[in-house]
């Protein structure tokens, strides 16, 4: 017969498996985020669905501390600071608001990456600290607060319902008086090892590494890799000729929200890098790209959300001659920022008013703007200048400007403040950029379904690709350069809906198939490369590379074959798509110019953990993250149970003592009367 274990723990606790914690991050001066005590925090559950419900938690309820189940629409700065200011709250579980909060929700800062861009007291002081334009007016700064209790996001509506049902059954106040025991309680574990700041935690980790055999590291720098590739191959291990000019195209590939690894970033990241990838494909298809006088470099920066980790590292490497390109090679810079929420046909071109006061830079910027404007598509995408007196929005380009006056433009869907009302939040989802699929599509049909958003972004990619072609010196008619809406659709589906799809499966290496999770998140993290980095790398290789007729052995060791030009190209043996008649795949070799370069802040390379020049963000380590609910008895009953237990223990000890003392009498063997003694 079957044997089944019947755990006592399973009878007492209901684990909550689909949750996302708020964790602790640190920079040179602060700690932000949340944590529980070392043994987890417990409290009686109280559901807060309207502001009036807070009174019970803050003043009226007789059973503090409380675990608050907070409706997503109330998850705002005002409510959170009220909860932060009381000792009657031991933790928080946040239910996702459905639909997205109509008033907008951004836990990011009103002035993202403030102090790490180009504007400062020495450069355009009138533009520093968003004095001229507040880019993210709905930003509450909630992600940058420090909470001393745990906060978890409930991702599964069914689990939220289980908690609410437990609350209804046990915790609802009856006739104005407190509910009767037993009460429904919740316990959250998210104890963080790092405290105070990056300076403190890195120093502790460094001391541990120096003196201990088994060092206990308490925090790790946020790090990953930038992805880059060029239109014409360049020697990745050498240096590009100083006379060779390169046009740099850039976008970011990471996002963030209040909760760990919940970073859908639909508008803040995905819209820009998908458009960028589509433009790269359109350019590679042009017949005369190898004849262009200027090369084009497609660059995807990681960690930009956290004070420009990726771009500051690339600039540092270029200055220190650790990168094939130098800053002097950059002819001009075109950055794609948030581009999915256009009002009408307008796409706005932002430039830096400070560097444009230099006459030679002004001439080059003017030429750049004219070429972009004249590449507009009548009635579909029109490029317009945002205004000479306005500074650049938060962008990777700012880090390059800090190093050198490079002519450049940042393309966005907003003239002044962001159109995105969910910047750096869990609500920056496909719905935010108006992606909708008809009912009843299979995953395969959804992958291929061309949405209106995909058509719109393909138009933007077409305009950008045509402008880049002309900037690089192309003289032919650009009407043949056209981004493919079908490719854009596949990328949007893969990077926002479902990573584990047939197209992504076919373009990655066989040993990477484990990275294809379900719901894509774009947080930079501390273990690298993350899924997004790998996928951007292989999508770019797929769209811009060529299939070469090599065996697996040759593809994995290209240095063994003549004319492989290993320094100029990267070779990847990818899975290929499923053979229609069987379950096996048809793998092949892709040759491309796509490479990875480190996206670790120079502050950690230089061990300047208190740097104000470079990003210093680290993530605390932790032991366990989990949540569970259970019924808790009254204090009186717990004390009675304890006292009774102690009495029974004392009685049993005394009984054992006396039995032991009289054992020879109690347990002596009686004599057999028939036995005769001699």
């Amino acid at each position: 017969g079957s044997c089944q274990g019947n755990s006592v723990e399973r009878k007492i606790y209901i684990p909550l498996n689909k949750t996302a914690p708020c964790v602790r991050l640190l920079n040179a001066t602060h700690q932000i985020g949340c944590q529980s005590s070392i043994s987890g925090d417990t409290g009686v559950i109280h559901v807060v669905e309207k502001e009036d419900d807070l009174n019970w938690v803050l003043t009226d309820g007789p059973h503090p501390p409380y675990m608050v189940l907070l409706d997503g629409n109330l998850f705002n700065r005002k409510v959170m600071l009220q909860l932060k200011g009381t000792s009657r709250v031991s933790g928080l579980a946040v239910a996702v608001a459905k639909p997205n909060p109509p008033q907008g929700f951004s836990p990011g800062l009103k002035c993202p990456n403030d102090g790490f861009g180009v504007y400062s007291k020495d450069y355009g002081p009138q533009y520093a600290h968003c004095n001229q334009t507040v880019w993210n007016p709905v930003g509450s700064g909630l992600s940058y607060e420090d909470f001393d209790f745990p906060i978890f996001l409930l991702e599964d509506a069914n689990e939220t319902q289980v908690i609410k049902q437990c609350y209804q059954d046990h915790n609802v106040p009856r006739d104005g008086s407190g509910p009767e025991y037993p009460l429904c309680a919740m316990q959250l574990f998210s104890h963080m090892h790092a405290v105070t700041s990056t300076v403190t935690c890195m120093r502790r980790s460094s001391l541990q590494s120096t003196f201990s055999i088994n060092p206990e590291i308490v925090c790790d720098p946020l790090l990953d890799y930038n992805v880059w590739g060029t239109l014409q191959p360049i020697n990745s291990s050498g240096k590009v000729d100083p006379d060779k000019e390169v046009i740099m195209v850039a976008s970011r590939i990471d996002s963030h929200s209040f909760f760990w690894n919940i970073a859908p970033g639909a508008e803040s990241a995905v819209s820009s890098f998908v458009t960028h990838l589509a433009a790269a494909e359109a350019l590679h298809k042009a017949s005369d790209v190898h004849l262009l006088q200027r090369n084009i470099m497609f660059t995807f920066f990681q960690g930009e959300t956290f004070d420009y980790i990726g771009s500051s590292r690339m600039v540092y490497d270029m200055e220190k001659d650790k990168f094939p390109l130098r800053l002097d090679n950059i002819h001009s810079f075109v950055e794609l920022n948030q581009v999915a929420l256009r009002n009408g046909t307008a796409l706005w071109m932002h430039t830096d008013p400070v560097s444009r006061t230099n006459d030679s830079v002004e001439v080059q910027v003017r030429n750049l703007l004219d070429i972009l404007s004249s590449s507009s598509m009548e009635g579909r995408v029109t490029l317009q200048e945002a205004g000479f007196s306005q500074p650049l929005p938060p962008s990777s380009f700012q880090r390059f400007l800090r190093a050198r006056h490079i002519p450049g433009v940042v393309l966005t869907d907003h003239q002044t403040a962001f159109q995105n009302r969910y910047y750096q939040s869990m609500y920056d989802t496909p719905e935010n950029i108006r992606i909708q699929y008809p009912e009843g599509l299979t995953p395969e049909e959804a992958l291929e379904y061309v949405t209106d958003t995909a058509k719109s972004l393909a138009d933007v990619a077409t305009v950008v690709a045509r402008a880049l072609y002309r900037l690089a010196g192309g003289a032919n008619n650009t009407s043949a350069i056209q981004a493919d809406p079908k490719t854009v659709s596949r990328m949007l589906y893969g990077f926002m809906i479902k990573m584990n799809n047939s197209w992504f499966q076919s373009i990655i290496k066989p040993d990477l198939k484990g990275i294809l999770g379900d719901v894509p998140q774009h947080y930079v993290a501390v273990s690298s490369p993350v899924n997004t980095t790998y996928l951007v790398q292989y999508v770019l290789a797929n769209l811009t590379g060529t299939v070469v007729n090599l065996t697996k052995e040759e593809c994995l060791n290209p240095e063994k074959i003549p004319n492989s030009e290993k320094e100029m190209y990267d070779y990847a043996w990818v899975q290929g798509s499923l053979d229609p008649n069987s379950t096996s795949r048809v793998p092949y070799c892709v040759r491309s110019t796509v490479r990875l370069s480190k996206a670790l802040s120079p502050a950690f390379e230089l061990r300047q953990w208190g740097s104000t020049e470079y990003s210093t963000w680290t993530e605390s380590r932790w032991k366990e993250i989990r949540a569970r609910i259970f019924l808790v008895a009254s204090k009186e009953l717990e004390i009675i149970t304890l006292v009774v237990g102690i009495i029974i223990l004392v009685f049993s000890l005394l009984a054992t003592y006396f039995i032991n003392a009289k054992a020879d009498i109690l347990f002596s063997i009686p004599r057999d009367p028939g036995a005769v003694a001699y």
Side-chain angles (χ1 to χ4, degrees):
S2 68
C3 174
Q4 260 187 330
N6 202 353
S7 157
V8 173
E9 185 177 357
R10 281 213 303 271
K11 289 186 171 182
I12 299 172
Y13 300 108
I14 299 175
L16 303 172
N17 298 318
K18 288 214 163 175
T19 59
C22 154
V23 303
R24 177 170 288 165
L25 299 175
L26 309 100
N27 68 7
T29 52
H30 290 78
Q31 62 179 31
I32 63 169
C34 324
Q35 77 153 353
S36 74
S37 60
I38 197 159
S39 54
D41 286 327
T42 306
V44 172
I45 295 169
H46 191 75
V47 175
V48 175
E49 292 180 325
K50 51 189 188 299
E51 282 206 42
D52 294 349
D53 297 340
L54 282 170
N55 296 334
W56 185 265
V57 172
L58 299 173
T59 52
D60 303 344
H63 305 121
Y66 284 97
M67 273 284 173
V68 178
L69 173 54
L70 189 68
D71 183 85
N73 288 301
L74 291 175
F75 184 52
N76 56 46
R77 188 176 182 83
K78 181 185 161 204
V79 169
M80 291 304 292
L81 292 185
Q82 279 181 278
L83 296 173
K84 186 180 176 179
T86 176
S87 58
R88 289 173 58 90
V89 172
S90 60
L92 202 63
V94 180
V96 180
K98 290 264 183 357
N100 292 355
Q103 70 278 13
F105 173 75
S106 171
L109 299 169
K110 288 188 189 304
C111 190
N113 290 0
D114 185 23
F116 289 85
V118 71
Y119 303 112
S120 64
K121 63 181 193 303
D122 307 318
Y123 187 100
Q126 68 274 33
Y127 306 123
H129 313 303
C130 297
N131 284 340
Q132 187 102 359
T133 309
V134 176
W135 295 107
N136 185 29
V138 293
S140 64
L142 209 52
S143 286
Y144 296 84
E145 288 288 330
D146 183 36
F147 294 94
D148 58 0
F149 51 77
I151 304 177
F152 278 54
L153 176 70
L154 300 171
E155 295 181 79
D156 185 352
N158 292 337
E159 286 192 342
T160 308
Q161 200 45 52
V162 167
I163 300 168
K164 284 184 176 176
Q165 192 56 54
C166 188
Y167 166 79
Q168 292 288 343
D169 294 346
H170 300 278
N171 295 12
V172 175
R174 312 279 174 211
D175 311 319
S177 63
E180 296 291 316
Y181 283 99
L183 297 174
C184 192
M186 185 186 293
Q187 190 172 28
L188 301 177
F189 297 84
S190 63
H191 181 67
M192 299 288 137
H193 294 178
V195 292
T196 313
S197 67
T198 288
V199 178
T200 304
C201 78
M202 288 301 288
R203 189 176 62 236
R204 285 180 182 172
S205 296
S206 176
L207 283 168
Q208 283 269 357
S209 303
T210 311
F211 297 112
S212 172
I213 301 168
N214 298 315
E216 186 156 323
I217 308 298
V218 292
C219 67
D220 302 281
L222 295 180
L223 81 159
D224 207 85
Y225 287 87
N226 298 322
V227 181
W228 63 277
T230 51
L231 197 58
Q232 301 158 354
I234 61 171
N235 187 337
S236 64
S237 53
K239 289 282 171 285
V240 171
D241 188 352
D243 313 331
K244 187 76 178 149
E245 292 183 321
V246 177
I247 297 156
M248 198 158 177
V249 194
S251 54
R252 66 172 56 187
I253 55 176
D254 71 301
S255 187
H256 179 43
S257 83
F258 186 86
F259 298 100
W260 184 74
N261 207 25
I262 300 290
E267 159 76 335
S268 63
V270 181
S271 70
S272 59
F273 74 71
V274 161
T275 306
H276 185 169
L277 287 163
E281 180 192 35
L283 267 171
H284 265 271
K285 285 180 176 171
S287 54
D288 58 338
V289 285
H290 56 289
L291 304 172
L292 295 176
Q293 65 192 75
R294 294 187 189 101
N295 202 347
I296 298 174
M297 176 170 160
F298 307 104
T299 322
F300 300 83
F301 291 119
Q302 256 292 13
E304 294 301 274
T305 307
F306 294 96
D307 301 336
Y308 307 118
I309 294 173
S311 52
S312 62
R313 179 53 186 257
M314 190 172 278
V315 171
Y316 174 83
D317 285 347
M318 285 179 173
E319 289 177 322
K320 296 279 184 275
D321 269 353
K322 294 178 177 176
F323 195 78
L325 257 68
R326 297 177 182 86
L327 287 166
D328 297 345
N329 293 116
I330 301 172
H331 167 267
S332 50
F333 199 104
V334 177
E335 179 167 352
L336 283 156
N337 219 312
Q338 306 182 79
V339 291
L341 293 174
R342 286 185 293 140
N343 259 346
T345 62
L347 198 61
W348 298 95
M349 301 184 288
H350 299 261
T351 55
D352 171 42
V354 182
S355 59
R356 285 181 71 179
T357 54
N358 175 318
D359 290 343
S360 67
V361 173
E362 169 61 23
V363 170
Q364 290 173 284
V365 171
R366 191 71 263 161
N367 175 50
L368 184 57
L369 292 170
D370 291 344
I371 287 177
L372 278 159
S373 301
S374 60
S375 300
S376 296
M377 290 164 73
E378 217 34 68
R380 283 156 81 178
V381 183
T382 51
L383 285 114
Q384 299 175 29
E385 291 181 50
F388 185 82
S389 62
Q390 187 171 273
L392 288 166
S395 50
S396 310
F397 178 42
Q398 292 200 28
R399 290 303 301 197
F400 284 81
L401 272 180
R402 274 175 83 128
R404 190 167 170 271
H405 278 184
I406 297 166
V409 63
V410 178
L411 302 177
T412 72
D413 54 23
H414 54 90
Q415 184 180 4
T416 53
F418 296 163
Q419 298 271 29
N420 185 4
R421 293 175 305 128
Y422 304 108
Y423 184 74
Q424 286 183 11
S425 92
M426 57 188 169
Y427 301 114
D428 191 4
T429 53
E431 293 76 36
N432 185 30
I433 59 170
R434 306 174 191 136
I435 288 187
Q436 288 179 316
Y437 294 94
E439 289 283 316
L441 291 187
T442 64
E444 207 54 42
E445 289 165 344
L447 175 68
E448 302 295 338
Y449 180 79
V450 180
T451 58
D452 291 341
T453 304
K455 290 173 192 165
S456 164
L457 291 179
D459 288 343
V460 174
T462 299
V463 169
V464 171
R466 289 174 182 177
L468 291 170
Y469 174 80
R470 290 177 54 200
L471 269 173
N476 291 351
N477 186 345
T478 58
S479 60
I481 297 176
Q482 187 80 40
D484 182 3
K486 211 165 189 55
T487 306
V488 175
S489 294
R490 288 171 155 196
M491 289 193 281
L492 290 174
Y493 181 82
F495 285 114
M496 285 197 294
I497 312 285
K498 189 176 165 63
M499 274 189 170
N500 198 3
N501 63 70
S502 59
W503 185 49
F504 278 4
Q505 287 166 8
S506 70
I507 63 173
I508 60 168
K509 290 180 173 177
D511 56 335
L512 290 180
K513 55 179 183 276
I515 67 166
L516 296 176
D518 259 357
V519 182
Q521 305 296 351
H522 307 293
Y523 170 62
V524 54
V526 293
S527 53
S528 59
V530 293
N531 314 14
T532 309
T533 307
Y534 274 132
L535 288 166
V536 168
Q537 179 190 3
Y538 286 103
V539 169
L540 184 60
N542 178 269
L543 299 180
T544 62
T546 48
V547 176
V548 285
N549 189 15
L550 295 177
T551 63
K552 182 179 180 180
E553 201 55 46
E554 291 169 332
C555 191
L556 296 175
N557 304 290
E559 62 281 351
K560 292 182 180 172
I561 17 170
N563 309 324
S564 69
E565 300 179 288
K566 179 87 173 78
E567 290 77 30
M568 311 293 272
Y569 295 102
D570 179 69
Y571 291 80
W573 184 255
V574 300
Q575 287 199 120
S577 44
L578 281 167
D579 187 332
N581 303 324
S582 73
T583 54
S584 61
R585 294 183 174 275
V586 187
Y588 56 92
C589 188
V590 176
R591 185 185 76 180
S592 71
T593 61
V594 181
R595 312 272 179 182
L596 297 179
S597 72
K598 245 188 200 169
L600 167 67
S601 170
F604 298 101
E605 204 90 334
L606 301 164
R607 294 175 73 85
Q608 295 174 359
W609 302 318
S611 172
T612 53
E613 168 78 7
Y614 297 113
S615 168
T616 53
W617 286 105
T618 52
E619 182 185 276
S620 172
R621 288 200 178 181
W622 58 81
K623 199 163 201 154
E624 64 171 350
I625 297 244
R626 61 194 173 97
R628 59 191 187 179
I629 62 171
F630 55 94
L631 292 181
V632 63
S634 68
K635 282 276 177 287
E636 292 79 9
L637 182 60
E638 286 179 346
I639 290 165
I640 290 167
T641 308
L642 179 67
V643 170
V644 169
I646 291 169
I647 290 167
I648 291 170
L649 176 67
V650 170
F651 177 77
S652 60
L653 287 172
L654 288 170
T656 308
Y657 172 76
F658 283 117
I659 289 168
N660 202 32
K662 306 290 181 186
D664 52 336
I665 298 166
L666 293 171
F667 303 114
S668 61
I669 301 165
R671 277 189 183 170
D672 183 352
V676 180
Y678 291 100

